[in-house]
């Protein structure tokens, strides 16, 4: 049976722009072939074929017929025969999806080797050692990927044979050793599968294509897509590229390597990468041998180095992007095996964006769009404190920047388990493999004893923004004993170490870190972003220090200042508790009068720090019991105090009891007992324990009186301000008096008073009346009519529904999307996240956690309606968002779409939001609301 559907495309005919069909690797091989680069000939089976295979667990009808036709064309192009006994054609079978997923899917090399073609390869190359080396590699790779045989079986034999013949490295094995090893590998296949290794090259090819298609649904590929939120719309299945093998292990005029057109760690405009002489490609990325830097090639292979520099220039000038490319040198001839957009850390992305714009390679718009906003968080990774004094245990290669401390673990499963339990973990391995990816997600950093800067560990860690030190050869790892040895120092699992991915140093124990600072290129890029963006980016900040830090991050004001955070300081909390425990209005007012100057000073400090920028102060939001100890804590303390009183009473009776039971012992300790009894008598007269018990019992009584079945929906926010107007009056006065004092000093200020938890227009009117009364009083006492805005948080569903009426009073709205999401879903965040929400996400009931990613279909529609109705009443209404979603790039795009004026987020996320706001503007025509 044949199919009319076309699945296979020769490199000369495939559309290099259609990555969804041909995968990134296949599309780039087509494009490189068509622009004249020296690419080994081949063809690509599409992602359509992959999806058809996955649907029925068999290759689709007609696919192998197409592959046979293209193999015949490949034989003609190369002049070689597939499985030929004299001049064999060997191929690689490579995976490649639309989105780059380095190492997450499978590739098989040297396919086509069997007992017949092996002899042909020896004849063809005149190099028997090379032929057996290629054969043993193929058996292991095919066995692992296509036949599901664990690597350990092959690795054990490799270690054993090297030990048997005293060979330190793989390259030290001679022809006879490799022939013996290949025989042992064939025996492993027979033993593990019950069948002989397949000899028909087309059977090998059919099995291999299915295995690579299956790897799309392998655990590490699925975990990677889940972690990086790669959807079917971005990448759906893997293509399979079948490419003529070229060999880097044919002698000292051959080699293999991986290059970046610019340094992926720093962005510096120099070729970066590594190579190995007399090796195949997997040797570099697997970290089996520590490779040399490409810079060394200028001395070792000057002509190839010149060609590499030329290749680098052609790749960048064609793709207008930093490229990550693989190359092989076969007997002095350079081949480019693949290229893709280089995965870089944030520092490199920012630097290359700015420099490539200045070089004329990309536009300013492209410079802003090529960096994912979320990766900017990497630029704020901690660095080791400059003044620390610690001796480095060892130094490896600086593979991914940043510093991290954690407990050592030696396998990915343990890293995942302990990391999820909240422990800080450093994953320590000889070399990492793609199947370790789940351990990477939970680790603070990665340390390997083998491998270079382009090894799997380095590439994946850089993409995640996690610190990594690779190739640290001084560390000898013993997986069986769960320990590592550096010189005389033995490190056991659970010991704490610190790694510095910027220098490659490894330290024992935890080393203090400091925050990173903005680079000049970062400031340039974010300056361009601010020029483009329509949305303003504010910060959530609760103190003058927070405000200054937010300003350093580029915040354009404070969108949320939480007054309750000011109450938790040790010098304020006792006064707040006095206010809560007050039985009369007079007692409560006395405590508030003591809080007033403290709050006023705080607000004045924040206004000065944000001089010339708006500051939105939210009046008290949480219920009052949050400022008191819990009932359980108080009950325990009171029980201990009663126990103390009983202990004192027992001690008072001690002299008489001792005298009666053991007079001799009493005489021995009489001199010491007398002062003890005196001290106890003095303590008892002070009634100290009785006073403390009475005070704690009073607090407990209040805690029980304030207890609520559902505090989130209880006596908080505006409801508290209306039942206790003196509390909100004190805060309003502190804000306006601080503003008046700043005004007298000539400080330009733009205060905004925001009321939380509003559900009705009448609530807003009531608080507005307080504000107007206190404004008149401040004008009378300070001689300044303070200008400010008055507004409401929208975090109650009813307030969103009544936004048109709310806008008659409010001059601005700010969506509190944390509470609004809880109210809309009827979820308690803590309960949801701890119980059922992860299951909802895993099973597809909800695509995202709605407390991290704005629920556009539900909460977003409430917001959209509230904006439209509010602005129908007041066209000048200012509207923003101050929940956690204000720093999430996808949520920011929606905020731009519904025409909010600003987003507000935590200070460290301000740079992310600034870039996301610019991208929202640049991509606004492409935006579509999810349905």
């Amino acid at each position: 049976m044949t199919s009319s559907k076309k699945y296979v495309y020769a490199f000369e005919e495939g559309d290099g722009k259609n990555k969804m069909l041909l995968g990134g690797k296949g599309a780039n091989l087509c494009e490189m072939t068509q622009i004249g680069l020296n690419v080994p000939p081949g063809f690509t089976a599409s992602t359509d074929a992959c999806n058809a295979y996955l649907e029925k667990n068999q290759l689709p009808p007609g696919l192998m017929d197409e592959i046979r036709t293209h193999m015949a064309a490949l034989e003609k192009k190369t002049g070689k025969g597939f499985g030929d006994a004299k001049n064999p054609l060997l191929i690689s079978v490579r995976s490649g999806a639309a989105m780059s997923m380095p190492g997450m899917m499978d590739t098989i090399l040297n396919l086509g080797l069997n007992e017949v073609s092996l002899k042909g390869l020896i004849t063809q190359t005149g190099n028997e050692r090379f032929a057996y080396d290629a054969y043993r590699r193929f058996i292991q790779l095919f066995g692992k990927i296509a036949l599901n045989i664990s690597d350990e079986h092959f690795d054990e034999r490799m270690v054993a044979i090297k030990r048997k013949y005293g060979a330190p490295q793989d390259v030290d094995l001679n022809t006879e050793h490799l022939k013996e090893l290949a025989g042992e590998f064939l025996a492993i296949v027979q033993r593990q599968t019950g069948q002989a290794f397949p000899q028909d090259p087309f059977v090998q090819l059919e099995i291999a294509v299915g295995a690579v298609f299956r790897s799309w649904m392998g655990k590490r590929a699925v975990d990677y897509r889940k972690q990086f939120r790669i959807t079917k719309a971005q990448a759906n299945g893997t293509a399979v590229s079948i490419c003529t093998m070229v060999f880097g292990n044919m002698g000292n005029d051959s080699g293999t390597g991986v290059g970046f057109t610019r340094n992926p760690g720093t962005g510096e405009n120099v070729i970066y990468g590594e190579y190995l002489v007399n090796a195949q490609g997997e040797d570099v990325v697997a970290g089996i041998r520590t490779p040399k830097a490409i810079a060394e090639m200028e001395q070792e292979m000057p002509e190839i180095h010149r060609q590499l520099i030329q290749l680098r220039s052609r790749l960048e000038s064609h793709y207008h992007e930093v490229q990550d490319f693989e190359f092989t040198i076969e007997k002095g001839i350079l081949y480019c095996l693949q290229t893709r957009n280089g995965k870089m850390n944030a520092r490199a992305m920012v630097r290359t964006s700015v420099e490539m714009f200045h070089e004329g390679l990309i536009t300013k718009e492209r410079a802003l769009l090529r960096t994912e906003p979320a990766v900017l968080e990497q630029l704020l990774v901690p660095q080791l404190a400059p003044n620390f004094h610690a001796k480095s245990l060892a130094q490896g290669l600086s593979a991914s920047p940043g510093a991290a401390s954690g407990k050592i673990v030696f396998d990915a499963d343990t890293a995942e388990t302990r990391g999820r339990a909240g422990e800080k973990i450093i994953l320590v391995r000889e070399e990492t493999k793609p199947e370790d990816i789940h351990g990477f997600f939970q680790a603070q950093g990665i340390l390997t004893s083998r491998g270079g800067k382009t090894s799997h560990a380095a590439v994946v860690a850089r993409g995640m923004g996690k610190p990594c030190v690779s190739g640290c050869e001084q560390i000898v790892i013993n997986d069986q004993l769960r320990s590592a040895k550096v010189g005389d120092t033995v490190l056991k699992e659970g010991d704490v170490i610190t790694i510095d991915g910027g220098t490659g140093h490894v330290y024992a124990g935890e080393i203090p870190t400091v925050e990173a600072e903005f680079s000049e290129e970062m400031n340039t890029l974010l300056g361009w972003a601010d020029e483009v963006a329509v949305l303003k980016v504010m910060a959530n900040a609760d103190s003058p220090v927070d405000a200054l830090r937010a300003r350093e991050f580029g915040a354009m004001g404070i969108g949320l200042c939480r007054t309750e955070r000011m109450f938790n300081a040790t010098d304020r909390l006792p006064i707040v508790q006095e206010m809560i425990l007050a039985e009369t209005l007079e007692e409560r007012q006395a405590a508030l009068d003591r809080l007033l100057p403290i709050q006023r000073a705080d607000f004045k400090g924040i206004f000065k720090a944000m001089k010339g920028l708006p500051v939105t102060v939210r009046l008290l939001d949480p219920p009052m019991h949050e400022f008191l100890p819990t009932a359980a804590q108080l009950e325990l303390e009171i029980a201990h105090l009663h126990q103390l009183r009983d202990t004192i009473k027992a001690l008072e009776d001690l002299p008489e009891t001792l005298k009666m039971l053991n007079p001799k012992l009493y005489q021995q300790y009489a001199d010491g007992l007398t002062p003890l009894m005196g001290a106890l008598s003095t303590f008892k007269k002070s009634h100290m324990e009785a006073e403390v018990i009475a005070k704690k019992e009073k607090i407990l009584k209040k805690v029980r009186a304030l207890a609520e079945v559902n505090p989130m929906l209880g006596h908080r926010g505006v409801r508290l301000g209306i039942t206790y107007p003196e509390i909100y009056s004190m805060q309003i006065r502190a804000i306006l008096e601080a503003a008046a004092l700043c005004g007298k000093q000539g400080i330009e200020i733009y205060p905004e008073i925001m009321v939380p938890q509003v559900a009705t227009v009448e609530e807003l009117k009531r608080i507005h009346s307080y504000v107007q009364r206190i404004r008149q009083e401040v004008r009378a006492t300070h001689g300044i009519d303070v200008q400010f805005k008055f507004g409401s948080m929208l975090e109650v569903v009813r307030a969103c529904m009544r936004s048109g009426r709310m806008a008659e009073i409010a001059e601005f709205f700010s969506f509190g999307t944390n509470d609004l999401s809880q109210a809309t879903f009827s979820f308690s965040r803590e309960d949801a996240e701890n119980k059922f929400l992860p299951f909802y996400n895993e099973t597809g009931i909800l695509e995202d956690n709605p407390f991290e990613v704005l629920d556009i279909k539900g909460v977003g529609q409430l917001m959209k309606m509230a904006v439209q109705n509010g602005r129908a009443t007041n066209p000048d209404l200012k509207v923003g968002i101050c929940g956690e979603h204000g720093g999430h790039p996808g949520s920011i795009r929606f905020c731009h779409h519904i025409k909010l004026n600003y987003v507000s987020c935590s200070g460290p996320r301000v740079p992310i939001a600034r870039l996301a706001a610019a991208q929202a503007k640049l991509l606004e025509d492409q935006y579509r609301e999810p349905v």
Side-chain angles (χ1 to χ4, degrees):
M1 178 182 172
T2 59
S3 168
S4 59
K5 186 172 179 66
K6 182 175 174 64
Y7 287 122
V8 183
Y9 300 82
F11 292 166
E12 291 82 359
E13 65 171 329
D15 179 0
K17 299 289 184 280
N18 195 346
K19 293 186 178 183
M20 285 300 289
L21 181 69
L22 301 177
K25 190 173 293 179
N28 284 334
L29 284 166
C30 291
E31 196 158 349
M32 287 193 298
T33 299
Q34 292 162 32
I35 65 171
L37 296 182
N38 195 24
V39 176
F43 54 89
T44 297
S46 70
T47 56
D48 287 346
C50 174
N51 289 315
Y53 173 86
L54 293 172
E55 189 179 336
K56 297 191 174 176
N57 200 29
Q58 63 183 40
L59 296 180
L63 176 62
M64 280 310 296
D65 292 336
E66 280 192 79
I67 287 176
R68 283 177 181 272
T69 301
H70 280 82
M71 282 303 297
L74 205 55
E75 288 178 317
K76 193 172 178 182
K77 284 175 195 169
T78 60
K80 298 176 181 180
F82 194 41
D84 192 75
K86 293 181 180 176
N87 190 19
L89 168 65
L90 302 185
I91 57 174
S92 61
V93 181
R94 295 171 174 265
S95 59
M99 295 279 286
S100 176
M101 297 167 55
M104 296 304 110
M105 293 173 296
D106 293 328
T107 286
I108 296 174
L109 306 176
N110 302 329
L111 192 137
L113 273 175
N114 55 23
E115 297 300 322
V116 174
S117 59
L118 176 63
K119 294 182 176 66
L121 188 60
I122 295 168
T123 304
Q124 185 188 62
T125 61
N127 188 334
E128 192 177 8
R129 185 198 179 281
F130 157 74
Y132 276 101
D133 189 37
Y135 194 31
R136 66 93 186 169
R137 288 169 185 271
F138 171 53
I139 299 165
Q140 176 168 359
L141 211 55
F142 191 89
K144 175 190 173 185
I145 292 165
L147 305 177
N148 294 315
I149 301 170
S150 170
D151 251 342
E152 291 170 5
H153 300 289
F154 300 106
D155 291 343
E156 282 170 9
R157 296 318 307 151
M158 169 60 89
V159 169
I161 212 154
K162 284 200 290 188
R163 190 182 298 122
K164 178 179 177 181
Y165 295 111
Q169 302 266 0
D170 300 2
V171 292
D172 299 313
L173 295 170
N174 66 27
T175 304
E176 292 307 313
H177 304 155
L178 290 169
K179 189 184 292 188
E180 182 182 336
L181 186 62
E184 293 194 12
F185 279 8
L186 287 170
I188 288 169
V189 172
Q190 177 77 52
R191 225 173 17 251
Q192 294 297 317
T193 66
Q195 294 181 328
F197 190 84
Q199 292 295 307
D200 184 332
F202 276 103
V203 171
Q204 294 175 0
L205 181 53
E206 188 169 348
I207 294 170
V209 169
V212 175
F213 282 156
R214 275 198 308 278
S215 71
W216 175 253
M217 295 307 296
K219 183 181 186 308
R220 65 182 189 267
V222 171
D223 285 350
Y224 189 92
R225 293 197 296 276
K226 190 182 293 182
Q227 176 73 13
F228 291 101
R229 299 182 181 276
I230 297 173
T231 64
K232 282 188 175 182
Q234 296 169 304
N236 191 14
T238 179
V240 170
S241 292
I242 293 166
C243 199
T244 304
M245 281 296 300
V246 288
F247 297 99
N249 56 339
M250 292 185 73
N252 289 335
D253 59 351
S254 301
T256 186
V258 176
F260 287 81
T261 55
R262 299 182 191 225
N263 187 314
T266 66
E268 185 183 2
N269 187 7
V270 292
I271 191 169
Y272 174 96
E274 297 168 319
Y275 74 103
L276 283 169
V277 172
N278 197 18
Q280 277 197 224
E282 73 267 25
D283 295 341
V284 178
V285 293
I288 292 166
R289 286 162 57 192
T290 300
K292 302 174 183 179
I294 279 178
E296 293 180 40
M297 189 188 283
E298 191 170 9
Q299 302 300 320
E300 193 170 15
M301 296 177 164
E303 175 54 26
I304 295 296
H305 185 266
R306 186 192 65 76
Q307 291 178 40
L308 263 185
I309 299 299
Q310 191 176 37
L311 173 63
R312 165 192 183 246
S313 300
R314 289 188 68 183
L315 287 172
E316 272 204 1
S317 61
H318 179 76
Y319 287 102
H320 300 283
E321 185 54 88
V322 176
Q323 293 296 291
D324 166 7
F325 61 97
E326 292 178 19
F327 61 90
T328 288
I329 307 147
E330 183 183 88
K331 294 211 165 283
I333 300 171
L334 176 68
Y335 293 90
C336 189
L337 303 188
Q338 76 155 324
T339 190
R340 60 190 172 201
N341 290 348
K343 283 192 178 294
M344 295 176 282
N345 62 30
R347 183 173 285 101
M349 283 299 288
V350 168
R351 179 172 173 177
T352 55
S353 292
V354 173
E355 291 187 354
M356 288 168 75
F357 166 72
H358 288 313
E359 292 162 22
L361 272 175
I362 58 174
T363 63
K364 192 176 283 187
E365 288 72 21
R366 178 66 194 144
L368 288 167
L369 288 170
R370 68 190 286 273
T371 303
E372 278 291 319
V375 305
L376 294 187
E377 204 159 19
Q378 292 177 23
L379 285 179
L380 308 170
V381 292
Q383 306 292 326
L384 293 182
N387 57 348
F388 82 94
H389 299 290
K391 188 179 177 185
S392 170
L393 281 178
Q395 185 173 17
L397 302 173
S398 51
S400 183
S405 300
K407 295 176 182 175
I408 296 172
V409 299
F410 292 100
D411 69 275
D413 291 340
T414 306
E416 182 179 46
T417 303
R418 295 179 68 169
R420 282 193 170 156
E423 292 184 71
K424 290 187 174 180
I425 295 302
I426 302 291
L427 178 60
V428 179
R429 305 279 280 149
E430 280 195 348
E431 74 255 7
T432 64
K433 297 181 179 180
E435 49 265 39
D436 292 329
I437 188 71
H438 56 295
F440 278 56
F441 295 146
Q442 300 302 327
Q444 302 296 310
I446 296 94
L447 169 64
T448 69
S449 61
R450 295 208 299 244
K453 293 184 181 182
T454 51
S455 64
H456 171 264
V459 170
V460 175
R462 270 200 302 271
M464 291 182 177
K466 295 193 182 232
C468 175
V469 173
S470 64
C472 192
E473 294 175 349
Q474 299 113 299
I475 295 181
V476 180
I477 295 167
N478 189 321
D479 285 330
Q480 304 300 318
L481 296 177
R482 316 293 282 177
S483 68
K485 193 171 182 183
V486 190
D488 297 329
T489 304
V490 176
L491 299 167
K492 294 180 179 162
E493 188 157 83
D495 288 350
V496 175
I497 62 169
T498 298
I499 63 171
D500 184 350
T503 64
H505 283 290
V506 180
Y507 303 90
E510 186 170 347
I511 306 293
T513 58
V514 293
E515 294 298 318
E517 294 182 1
F518 276 18
S519 66
E520 189 180 330
E521 290 86 4
M522 175 82 145
N523 280 322
T524 300
L525 189 71
L526 292 176
W528 294 345
D530 295 342
E531 290 168 10
V532 170
V534 174
L535 275 172
K536 301 294 182 191
V537 179
M538 312 287 196
N540 301 342
D542 311 312
S543 70
V545 172
D546 289 347
L548 284 170
R549 186 78 174 132
R551 195 156 191 162
E552 288 172 12
F553 286 125
M556 300 161 198
I558 291 178
L560 177 64
C561 174
R562 293 155 288 206
T563 50
E564 62 271 8
R565 300 284 178 96
M566 302 170 175
F567 287 165
N568 285 320
T570 51
D571 60 330
R572 295 111 190 265
L573 191 56
I575 308 173
V576 175
Q577 290 176 344
E578 275 183 44
M579 181 265 292
I580 295 168
L581 295 170
E583 297 294 339
T584 66
L585 176 60
E586 291 74 20
E587 287 177 358
R588 189 157 43 253
Q589 190 61 56
L592 289 168
D593 288 345
R594 290 166 63 199
L595 281 173
L596 174 63
I598 296 172
Q599 286 247 283
R600 184 172 58 220
D602 284 338
F603 293 138
K604 186 179 176 187
I606 291 171
F607 291 152
K608 287 174 76 173
M610 300 306 288
K611 180 172 64 176
L613 298 173
V615 175
T616 304
V617 180
R618 181 180 74 186
L619 300 176
L620 189 65
D621 181 35
M624 288 201 286
H625 70 76
E626 286 197 9
F627 298 102
L628 298 173
T630 64
Q633 183 184 343
L634 286 164
E635 286 163 357
L636 187 64
E637 289 173 359
I638 290 166
H640 281 160
L641 286 165
H642 279 296
Q643 192 177 6
L644 173 65
R645 190 158 59 182
D646 293 343
T647 302
I648 291 169
K649 191 171 187 314
L651 283 171
E652 285 182 311
D653 296 336
L654 180 62
E656 292 303 317
T657 305
L658 200 57
K659 194 186 295 183
M660 182 175 64
L661 293 175
N662 193 332
K664 190 175 180 182
L665 190 63
Y666 170 76
Q667 288 297 328
Q668 185 179 343
Y669 289 104
D671 290 345
L673 287 171
T674 302
L676 174 62
M677 291 305 103
L680 285 173
S681 177
T682 304
F683 180 79
K684 193 174 179 183
K685 285 175 186 172
S686 72
H687 304 293
M688 191 180 294
E689 87 286 0
E691 287 173 12
V692 174
I693 289 171
K695 184 178 179 182
K696 289 197 178 289
E697 285 178 339
K698 182 181 178 183
I699 296 173
L700 179 60
K701 184 180 176 184
K702 192 70 173 181
V703 167
R704 286 172 175 160
L706 292 173
E708 296 177 295
V709 175
N710 192 336
M712 192 195 94
L713 304 177
H715 197 186
R716 59 177 289 208
V718 69
R719 304 183 277 279
L720 191 65
I722 287 173
T723 50
Y724 295 103
E726 58 274 17
I727 297 175
Y728 269 19
S729 294
M730 180 277 290
Q731 292 197 302
I732 294 163
R733 185 177 301 280
I735 295 165
L736 296 181
E737 287 186 355
L741 291 170
C742 287
K744 283 182 178 178
Q745 294 175 11
I747 299 167
E748 186 184 359
I749 50 157
Y750 297 95
E752 300 182 351
I753 297 172
M754 181 163 71
V755 188
Q757 293 295 318
V758 175
T760 73
V761 179
E762 288 306 315
E763 288 172 322
L764 203 57
K765 283 182 177 177
R766 188 72 59 90
I767 305 303
H768 191 246
S769 71
Y770 301 175
V771 173
Q772 291 305 323
R773 171 177 55 81
I774 295 166
R775 178 186 190 178
Q776 301 301 329
E777 292 170 6
V778 170
R779 180 165 59 188
T781 55
H782 289 75
I784 288 183
D785 186 14
V786 176
Q787 299 303 306
F788 62 91
K789 287 185 184 293
F790 176 79
S792 174
M793 282 191 87
L794 291 193
E795 52 194 332
V796 175
V797 174
R798 190 180 190 280
C800 294
M801 304 297 291
R802 299 287 289 159
S803 60
R805 286 275 286 121
M806 293 280 188
E808 294 174 5
I809 308 295
E811 295 169 273
F812 70 90
F813 291 156
S814 181
F815 290 105
T817 48
N818 299 343
D819 277 2
L820 187 57
S821 295
Q822 292 193 91
T824 304
F825 277 96
S826 192
F827 287 174
S828 156
R829 179 173 185 174
E830 289 77 8
D831 292 329
E833 289 186 331
N834 289 328
K835 291 176 181 169
F836 60 85
L837 196 51
F839 177 75
Y840 268 37
N841 293 146
E842 286 166 17
T843 55
I845 293 173
L846 285 175
E847 191 173 322
D848 297 297
N849 178 339
F851 302 111
E852 295 174 356
V853 179
L854 185 66
D855 167 47
I856 294 168
K857 298 174 186 175
V859 177
Q861 298 313 302
L862 276 173
M863 293 169 64
K864 188 175 178 181
M865 179 190 66
V867 172
Q868 290 169 349
N869 293 345
R871 287 197 176 134
T873 300
N874 176 6
D876 296 326
L877 185 73
K878 176 179 171 181
V879 189
I881 177 175
C882 63
E884 283 179 42
H885 306 96
H888 178 259
S891 306
I892 289 169
R893 284 193 75 182
F894 177 72
C895 292
H896 173 87
H897 174 66
I898 63 171
K899 295 182 168 53
L900 296 195
N901 298 95
Y902 70 91
V903 297
S904 188
C905 57
S906 64
R909 292 194 71 82
V910 165
I912 296 167
R914 289 166 68 191
L915 184 57
Q919 293 186 357
K921 173 63 181 171
L922 291 170
L923 299 172
E924 62 185 354
D925 293 340
Q926 300 172 26
Y927 186 77
R928 300 290 180 273
E929 282 184 35
V931 291

